[in-house]
Amino acid sequence: MGDDAPTSAYLEQLTEELVATKSALAAICREASSKEDLLNLAAVNKSFPEVAHSEHVWDRLYEQDFPYFYGNLVARHRRDRRAVSYDDPNDSGVNVPWFTEYKKRHHRERCWETGNLSRKAPLILGGHLGCVFGACFLGAPFTPGTICTGAHLDRTSGPAASSSSGGEIKMWLPNRGTTIEQLVREYGGSGDEESIPPVGGVQAIPEGMDVETFTKQEIARAGVLSLYQLPGTAQIACTTWKSGVHILRCRAVAEEVEQRDGGGDGEGKGGNAGRKRMKRAAADQNQENSKGYSFEAVLEVMGQEGPCSKTFVDKKSRILALPSYDGAVRLYLLPTWITDCSEIAEEEREDGAEAPKIHPSSTLFDDAKLEIRGEDGTTTTGTRAPVTALTMSDDCKRMFTGSNDTLVKLWDMQREEIVHRFEGHEGFIWNVKGLDADLNTAVSTSTDGFARRWDLRQRTCAGSINVCAHPGNVQAVTGVALRGNGYHMAVGSFDNNVYVLDTRMMRRLYSVGRHGDKVCRAHLYDKGDSDLLMTTGWDRTVRLWQFD
């Protein structure tokens, strides 16, 4: 059978049976239980191409090698099938090209392991007037690959020069019919910071925010600290340095969805199937009104006494959790019209009226005593170190936080109390991420230059790494972008580099590239044909790195 024939006696016997009868193919596939057997079967492609391209073989191999991505892939193909089959919205059929999908996934995993980026130089989104702290990829109903960024306005330049701080929000969309991955391939490495112009241009923090402090003539607003899309809605939670937290609504996307949802008795607000189909259609059509991409505050979140650097939203339970620099974690119950992407708030709100307000349903403090060492070497006792990072389990029963007291803490949310404080870091905690849905393992990064992995069941540190490894020169590790399967994470650093780590072994694999200044945030978009890593920095840029 040539050079491609398998060498094992077991496979030779199986292929002889296949020659005798084509119907034996299904039995062979069922008997081949190991990865090696499956790959060897696939290697018999000259004489038996049906073996190499058997969807049954590659279906099993994909599920075996990439269990986390298997369910997501089936769901995506089922969703795409329904999107083009409006006649039968209950149709759950799915026809996945497993052979092709396996090759793509295998190649993508190799890219993460080896750092084989499709372009070594990133696509740069520039034009910001200050450090970019807030950034996020937006999902439905926005066009896939839409990016929202929030930045400070530099005190020494522009219209905010006379202000103590200011902020701006931008949205970046690929042209209709073009994916963000295609744009990175086309423009990455060009050095052109305006390859994708922002939709709507530069915009001060939206009208309606901080109305008691600023007038409409002032561009100066509190600098943006974080942005977070409420899942499945046209709304974004925005936190600022002036302790302001608002839920913002993107007019163009929301109005397009509302217009389509309201177009008929059966397909309007009362029809769930119609609503879902119209939202999908809106994602394809919203470029028509690109000039209308702007934000307005539809809900003001009250009770904050300090800036909030992170945001967590659980759509199912409608919980909004905000860690604050005043040492508290505040929990809010969002109104249903926010999480359902409804327009009830607009119907009840007159033009020019202030946005409705919500107050905390619960406020959590860590009242354990901590020692604060001053610059003169003296030590005082205080409480409530700023809470800088937060994540929750999928069922919202466990919470993991990081603080400026160098500790990471595990909370029991049913009792609303800390069950364990983890020691090990020697600097402020910058970020925490859960590695699994139940929050049994987590990672943290700190200004001490280390990333640590925590076993929350055994209450121990399961591994750590000095990310930057600069002798005698500690560089903070900042933003974290974690892959869905938890195998790899990308981190930013104050040494201007972006690194990829293996979270299983807690080892550094390689450096993706550099910013012109310290790196602030990192985010990952893995819903398309390739993985996109977005990093932001003090150099006033957003950079997109493609793993393909």
Side-chain angles (χ1 to χ4, degrees), residues 36 44 67 96 156 160 188 210 229 275 313 351 362 376 379 430 447 460-461 479 486 498 544:
E36 290 73 17
V44 191
V96 179
T156 58
D210 296 326
Q229 181 190 8
R275 176 185 289 269
V313 178
D351 292 339
S362 183
D376 58 356
T379 300
W430 189 283
T447 57
T460 60
C461 178
V498 180
L544 294 171

Side-chain angles (χ1 to χ4, degrees), residues 196-359:
I196 309 177
V199 175
V202 177
Q203 179 187 343
I205 291 297
E207 182 180 349
M209 292 180 63
D210 296 326
V211 291
E212 296 180 358
T213 309
F214 298 100
T215 65
K216 291 184 179 180
Q217 286 72 29
E218 290 179 295
I219 288 186
R221 298 289 192 268
V224 176
L225 193 51
S226 73
L227 297 169
Y228 186 97
Q229 181 190 8
L230 276 63
T233 75
Q235 287 141 171
I236 296 173
C238 173
T239 70
T240 69
W241 279 106
K242 283 184 174 290
S243 307
V245 181
H246 293 76
I247 306 299
L248 312 179
R249 177 176 179 265
C250 182
R251 294 173 183 171
V253 175
E255 290 173 0
E256 187 74 18
V257 171
E258 292 168 10
Q259 179 181 2
R260 294 174 180 274
D261 283 354
D265 295 336
E267 302 297 324
K269 301 174 186 178
N272 290 332
R275 176 185 289 269
K276 292 179 180 178
R277 292 200 299 275
M278 293 306 180
K279 286 181 180 178
R280 285 194 297 268
D284 297 329
Q285 297 292 335
N286 58 30
Q287 296 285 351
E288 299 291 339
N289 299 318
S290 61
K291 293 183 180 180
Y293 277 89
S294 58
F295 288 98
E296 58 184 346
V298 295
L299 186 67
E300 187 173 359
V301 181
M302 307 298 292
Q304 295 298 324
E305 298 178 9
C308 301
S309 60
K310 298 290 186 299
T311 307
F312 177 88
V313 178
D314 181 70
K315 183 177 180 182
K316 183 177 180 180
S317 62
R318 295 188 286 122
I319 290 177
L320 168 66
L322 296 172
S324 175
Y325 280 28
D326 67 0
V329 175
R330 291 180 174 83
L331 306 178
Y332 299 81
L333 185 63
L334 293 171
T336 55
W337 58 266
I338 284 287
T339 54
D340 292 344
C341 198
S342 306
E343 59 278 358
I344 297 177
E346 295 305 305
E347 296 174 356
E348 298 179 351
R349 181 179 169 192
E350 298 179 359
D351 292 339
E354 292 185 6
K357 299 176 175 60
I358 60 169
H359 296 269

Side-chain angles (χ1 to χ4, degrees), residues 10 41 80 95 150 180 244 246 272 304 323 337 399 401 411 417 433 509:
Y10 171 66
L41 278 172
D80 293 345
N95 183 21
I180 190 69
H246 293 76
N272 290 332
Q304 295 298 324
W337 58 266
M399 181 172 70
T401 63
W411 298 69
E417 63 182 29
K433 294 282 186 180
L509 297 178

